[in-house]
């Protein structure tokens, strides 16, 4: 699906996408046909040349096109971040495989935090996840990507103009369920949340290392199922810390109020201006 979208390019400029990008001030027109003059994004790829074996990406012309696409994405990501910051919003990119509990977590979080949040939902088809959140009284906007296996900064930018941003503390970007491609695209968020569910197995961490290296926090979800699955919690923690010593790890079950309080506390500690 992603043989030519740039997902096989490895980014080496930052450990955490979105954490250190800066853009110059610009005209913030909301016209979809707008163009913006930005400073160069600090997330621009400096290590574009490192590829895994994909012969379709080894010619200079193809590489040049992909680099331009990714660089434009990074500029738009910086624009999104400036948009969030102008409204004093902290944005979190939520990534995981399908079925790990992203939407369920956001549905239940409402009961444990006074922070006002909205959600940008990404899926290939249907508006089911956004509909679930809206039914709970949570502001949500659905992006249907068609065949794209990840959100990009331009998709998120379009969604921002469909959300009432005034008064929000947090905007969650719930990315397309995928443990690979979303990690390669800065969408303009401030921090990355990665979910790993107990039914998936603890082996996913080392099999999909790029995603977990990008994580500011990993929520190990569906922990109420630990007695029924061969998921080695200590081993998972060790693997995560080996890949990403700085990441925080929180064991979560939506059925366990204390663990949901821990999620709410982490969010409160990591919104802009909390430190």
């Amino acid at each position: 699906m992603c043989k030519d979208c740039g997902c096989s390019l490895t980014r080496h400029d930052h450990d955490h996408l979105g954490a250190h990008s800066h853009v110059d001030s610009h005209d913030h027109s909301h016209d979809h046909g707008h163009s913006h003059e930005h400073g160069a994004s600090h997330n621009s790829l400096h290590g574009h040349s490192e590829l895994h074996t994909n012969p379709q990406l080894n010619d200079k012309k193809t590489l040049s096109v992909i680099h331009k696409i990714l660089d434009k994405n990074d500029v738009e990501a910086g624009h999104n971040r400036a948009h969030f910051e102008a409204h004093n919003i902290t944005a979190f990119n939520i990534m995981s495989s399908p079925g790990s509990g992203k939407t369920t977590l956001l549905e239940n979080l409402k009961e444990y935090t006074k922070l006002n949040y909205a959600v940008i939902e990404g899926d290939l088809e249907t508006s089911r996840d956004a509909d679930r959140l809206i039914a709970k009284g949570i502001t949500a906007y659905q992006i249907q990507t068609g065949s794209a296996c990840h959100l990009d900064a331009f998709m998120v930018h379009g969604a921002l103009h469909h959300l009432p941003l005034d008064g929000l503390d947090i905007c969650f970007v719930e990315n397309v369920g995928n443990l690979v491609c979303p990690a390669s695209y800065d969408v303009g968020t401030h921090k990355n949340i990665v979910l790993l569910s107990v039914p998936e197995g603890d082996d996913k961490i080392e099999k999909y290392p790029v995603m977990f290296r990008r994580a500011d926090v990993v929520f190990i979800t569906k922990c109420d199922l630990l007695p029924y699955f061969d998921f080695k919690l200590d081993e998972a923690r060790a693997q995560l810390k080996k890949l990403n010593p700085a990441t925080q790890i929180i064991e979560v079950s939506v059925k366990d109020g204390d663990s949901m309080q821990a999620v709410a506390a982490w969010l409160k500690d990591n919104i802009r201006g909390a430190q």
Side-chain angles (χ1 to χ4, degrees), residues 103-263:
T103 308
T104 300
L105 182 76
L106 294 174
E107 281 180 313
N108 286 271
L109 179 63
K110 192 171 184 287
E111 301 176 20
Y112 297 93
T113 183
K114 293 181 180 179
L115 295 170
N116 189 19
Y117 63 91
V119 183
I120 295 172
E121 281 284 350
D123 281 303
L124 271 67
E125 297 290 347
T126 82
S127 61
R128 291 176 184 172
D129 285 355
D131 292 343
R132 284 171 55 184
L133 294 170
I134 291 168
K136 293 280 189 177
I138 301 164
T139 301
Y141 181 80
Q142 184 76 50
I143 298 173
Q144 296 177 7
T145 66
S147 61
C149 55
H150 54 81
L151 296 178
D152 63 31
F154 293 93
M155 295 177 190
V156 170
H157 179 259
L160 289 180
H161 298 299
H162 294 274
L163 291 177
L165 299 180
D166 290 340
L168 289 181
D169 300 301
I170 291 173
C171 183
F172 292 108
V173 177
E174 184 180 332
N175 222 306
V176 178
N178 184 340
L179 274 179
V180 183
C181 308
S184 296
Y185 280 77
D186 182 4
V187 294
T189 49
H190 296 98
K191 289 185 180 288
N192 294 325
I193 298 171
V194 176
L195 273 59
L196 173 69
S197 69
V198 167
E200 292 174 73
D202 52 65
D203 63 327
K204 299 302 180 291
I205 299 163
E206 291 186 333
K207 290 170 71 174
Y208 300 93
V210 174
M211 177 67 73
F212 293 99
R213 288 193 184 108
R214 302 289 191 215
D216 292 286
V217 65
V218 175
F219 296 152
I220 300 178
T221 59
K222 305 186 182 183
C223 281
D224 52 300
L225 297 177
L226 279 168
Y228 310 103
F229 286 86
D230 186 21
F231 186 100
K232 300 177 181 65
L233 199 54
D234 290 342
E235 179 64 22
R237 283 181 165 275
Q239 290 178 30
L240 287 168
K241 285 298 184 181
K242 181 180 178 181
L243 282 174
N244 185 354
T247 193
Q248 293 181 255
I249 304 166
I250 300 176
E251 298 162 29
V252 181
S253 166
V254 296
K255 298 180 180 180
D256 178 4
D258 289 342
S259 70
M260 291 299 293
Q261 291 285 6
V263 170

